[in-house]
Amino acid sequence: MPFLEPKYQKAAELRSSRRPKQLAVINQGGCTGCMVCVDFCPVDCIKTVPGPDPDNPNVHKLVEVDLPFCIGCTLCAKYCPWETIEMISFQDAYEVAPDWTLRNIIEKQWDREPVQVEVERKRRARPPRK
Ligand code: SF4
Ligand code: SF4
């Protein structure tokens, strides 16, 4: 990651082994591409989705949260001037996000949550009960 606010370093490190209670989900229908949320995200997990015209990528650009890196700090939701970011429970965020996403650039966004992989791995490694 190119930027990580020192205060949030620990939370970012723990992210792969501990699920945040909630994740930020952007309702892109209300996003103006103002980029305020990008400036506030302490772990740099909000990505710019260019506009549909490759010659004018800044026109109708949107943003997308890279969910497996969101630490649930709520800053983006608090400061979005258009109130189009909601904090959704971890369980529900991955179901809600595809419905609220008009365009995305992060591949396989909805099924690459590292925490789920981690939990699954631990479950398999547990020895059988006697
Ligand atoms: S602050 Fe809100 S409106 Fe602005 S880019 Fe982020 S989600 Fe979109
Ligand atoms: S809640 Fe928002 S600002 Fe905080 S880590 Fe997630 S996307 Fe970034």
Side-chain angles (χ1 to χ4, degrees):
M1 280 188 192
F3 165 79
L4 182 60
E5 206 168 289
K7 195 173 128 188
Y8 291 89
Q9 174 103 30
K10 193 73 189 165
E13 285 169 11
L14 286 172
R15 178 62 179 89
S16 61
S17 58
R18 192 181 293 170
R19 295 177 172 197
K21 284 202 175 91
Q22 47 187 4
L23 299 175
V25 179
I26 295 174
N27 187 340
Q28 287 185 339
C31 175
T32 62
C34 70
M35 300 288 127
V36 168
C37 55
V38 175
D39 288 342
F40 276 101
C41 181
V43 295
D44 196 26
C45 72
I46 304 179
K47 306 301 173 195
T48 305
V49 183
D53 180 357
D55 293 330
N56 297 294
N58 284 330
V59 177
H60 296 309
K61 67 183 173 187
L62 299 167
V63 293
E64 175 185 16
V65 175
D66 198 351
L67 289 174
F69 292 96
C70 172
I71 59 171
C73 72
T74 76
L75 289 174
C76 58
K78 189 173 168 189
Y79 290 107
C80 170
W82 303 94
E83 298 181 357
T84 198
I85 306 177
E86 287 200 30
M87 300 306 301
I88 308 274
S89 73
F90 185 96
Q91 303 293 60
D92 295 337
Y94 279 86
E95 286 184 20
V96 171
D99 290 341
W100 288 4
T101 300
L102 304 174
R103 298 197 309 272
N104 72 321
I105 51 161
I106 301 169
E107 283 186 34
K108 296 188 176 172
Q109 166 73 309
W110 322 124
D111 55 9
R112 62 181 188 81
E113 170 59 57
V115 177
Q116 288 165 350
V117 172
E118 188 64 22
V119 168
E120 192 56 35
R121 204 179 292 134
K122 277 186 191 153
R123 201 175 290 144
R124 262 188 255 129
R126 200 176 293 155
R129 280 190 189 159
K130 291 180 182 170

